[in-house]
Amino acid sequence: MKKFAIAAILASLSAGAFAAQGDIIARFRVINVNPDVSTSNGAAAGAGLGLTQLKTDVNDATVPELDFTYMLTDNIGAELILGTSRHEVTANGASLGKVSVLPPTLTAQYHFSPEATFRPYVGAGINYTRFYDAGLEASGVSKLSVKKNSWGPALQIGADYAISKDYFVNVDVKKIWIKTKVSADDAGGLNLGDLKINPLVIGVGIGTKF
């Protein structure tokens, strides 16, 4: 009798824990945006002002994030990720200032075991990044500008785990490819090179469906 009761509880939990076709999943996560930085030099490299010579880097940031998934079928969903982060940019270990990044990302997901308590998924899609509120300055170059728009691919893996009929915890990992061009305003917009940020985004949160 006890085994039957436990099985019934688990069955009722798994049956109502996750979304089906036509449902919307909403998640709130705390994410760590950890850039994997690489650079290439531009026209200013001959003057020793290329991003590679300057050993340019971008610090990580931990911020809140909100995302929504619309279930096209019981297994396939489309997720839109909304969040913004602010990063310090350094050159040779010294701060150049900070820049904010708004990277809405749309992924198509495949959800395994849609009726289970533990529901892993994978996804792939496209990222658009908008750079804004940049306050970057470099010694000998003065004010710096970054190209404001970036398009790139995104990959995703994660899982939801039911903790009640209506709520679940979520772990999510994304790899996003982001690139911008850096120029020196006080040198007539001289190209310093390309800055590839390509962050690994790790998130933990809670979600529900409606």
Side-chain angles (χ1 to χ4, degrees):
M1 187 66 181
K2 183 184 292 186
K3 291 182 178 179
F4 177 79
I6 293 174
I9 292 171
L10 292 177
S12 65
L13 177 62
S14 62
F18 294 105
Q21 181 178 1
D23 287 338
I24 296 175
I25 299 173
R27 302 181 185 88
F28 174 80
R29 301 186 184 112
V30 175
I31 60 171
N32 179 258
V33 183
N34 193 343
D36 179 15
V37 177
S38 63
T39 58
S40 60
N41 287 328
L49 297 177
L51 296 183
T52 300
Q53 288 108 319
L54 293 173
K55 297 180 181 179
T56 307
D57 201 1
V58 179
N59 291 349
D60 68 343
T62 299
V63 296
E65 178 213 69
L66 185 65
D67 70 85
F68 297 94
T69 300
Y70 178 74
M71 298 304 297
L72 302 169
T73 71
D74 287 356
N75 294 93
I76 298 174
E79 181 183 77
L80 178 63
I81 302 150
L82 303 172
T84 186
S85 57
R86 189 159 177 81
H87 299 267
E88 184 175 25
V89 182
T90 63
N92 297 319
S95 177
L96 298 179
K98 294 185 177 182
V99 61
S100 294
V101 178
L102 179 66
T105 302
L106 180 66
T107 60
Q109 301 173 329
Y110 185 83
H111 294 253
F112 302 91
S113 306
E115 297 301 326
T117 301
F118 176 71
R119 182 183 179 185
Y121 58 84
V122 294
I126 189 168
N127 161 260
Y128 167 74
T129 295
R130 177 76 174 178
F131 295 90
Y132 68 98
D133 196 16
L136 304 179
E137 294 186 357
S139 177
V141 180
S142 193
K143 189 175 180 180
L144 305 179
S145 290
V146 295
K147 183 180 177 181
K148 295 186 180 299
N149 305 301
S150 170
W151 292 90
L155 296 176
Q156 176 183 38
I157 185 171
D160 297 316
Y161 185 84
I163 55 175
S164 73
K165 180 181 178 180
D166 298 314
Y167 295 95
F168 54 85
V169 294
N170 172 260
V171 176
D172 186 270
V173 179
K174 297 181 188 69
K175 178 66 177 181
I176 302 175
W177 281 264
I178 300 172
K179 181 175 75 171
T180 188
K181 190 178 295 294
V182 182
S183 58
D185 288 358
D186 292 351
L190 186 64
N191 178 19
L192 300 185
D194 291 331
L195 177 64
K196 297 179 181 180
I197 301 174
N198 300 345
L200 185 67
V201 182
I202 301 174
V204 178
I206 191 167
T208 189
K209 67 175 181 179
F210 54 93

